[in-house]
Amino acid sequence: MGLLIRRATLADLPAVLAIYNHAIRTSPSTFDIDEKTLQEREAWFAAHDARHPILVAEDAGGIVGWGTLSPMSTRAGWSRTVEDSLYVRADAIGRGIGTALLRALLDEGRRIGHHVVIAQITAGNAASVALHRRCGFVDVGVAHEVGWKFGRWYDLIIMECLLSTEERELR
């Protein structure tokens, strides 16, 4: 079986949780510090609707990665701007799973009608920055010392990908 990218189901949550909790324990890629419970992930899952999908990457070894498009804000003017999150199982990194997931998320964003996807990446995560650049993101700024984890401050690189240009072309 090759790599399958599909919408996540409740049955996928234990694998999604394991991947995310590993990142919480070992990486500054998330500023979460306390591991999540299955009940917390179920609430997170329920908060993602048709406009804010959760995708999983699955191969013969099970769920090897997941990604989401999440609201940037609850304010109505932000409704077509989303933030991506993307995590790959540690033993599956370097196999193109992140690229496949991010491209699928961008395709979903276009299909849904989102306008911009924002990526907030911990400085020093060169692989994630390179992945986002490969998929059309550009750097838009740095927020300095905004995350505290593992006894130190981390900067946040902010990148964006414009999914549609129709509104700009009409001006």
Side-chain angles (χ1 to χ4, degrees):
M1 172 176 136
L3 188 66
L4 172 66
I5 306 288
R6 60 174 175 77
R7 291 274 179 141
T9 67
L10 280 171
D12 299 320
L13 287 185
V16 167
L17 178 65
I19 292 167
Y20 191 60
N21 279 343
H22 181 267
I24 291 171
R25 287 189 308 273
T26 64
S27 169
S29 62
T30 174
F31 292 151
D32 271 326
I33 294 172
D34 297 319
E35 290 187 39
K36 301 299 177 190
T37 66
L38 186 56
Q39 293 74 25
E40 287 171 318
R41 282 287 101 164
E42 288 169 348
W44 166 83
F45 183 87
H48 283 80
D49 56 20
R51 292 188 47 76
H52 303 99
I54 303 170
L55 302 181
V56 293
E58 181 178 17
D59 69 8
I63 302 299
V64 291
W66 60 271
T68 65
L69 295 178
S70 300
M72 279 297 296
S73 173
T74 58
R75 295 181 178 109
W78 286 85
S79 66
R80 292 182 58 205
T81 300
V82 291
E83 174 185 11
D84 77 312
S85 296
L86 184 71
Y87 293 87
V88 175
R89 202 172 69 197
D91 65 340
I93 292 171
R95 295 178 18 205
I97 295 163
T99 301
L101 268 169
L102 185 52
R103 287 185 176 149
L105 284 171
L106 296 175
D107 287 346
E108 279 292 290
R110 285 183 191 93
R111 184 190 63 72
I112 291 165
H114 291 304
H115 183 63
V116 178
V117 179
I118 302 291
Q120 298 184 75
I121 302 168
T122 306
N125 189 344
S128 187
V129 170
L131 163 64
H132 282 79
R133 284 188 182 137
R134 272 194 313 275
C135 291
F137 284 74
V138 296
D139 296 52
V140 294
V142 176
H144 297 281
E145 298 183 2
V146 295
W148 176 262
K149 192 168 182 181
F150 303 133
R152 63 168 281 208
W153 289 108
Y154 289 91
D155 294 348
L156 197 63
I157 298 168
I158 302 164
M159 302 178 79
E160 70 180 4
C161 180
L162 299 176
L163 297 179
S164 63
T165 58
E166 293 83 20
E167 290 86 359
R168 285 191 314 277
E169 291 170 357
L170 292 174
R171 284 188 239 160

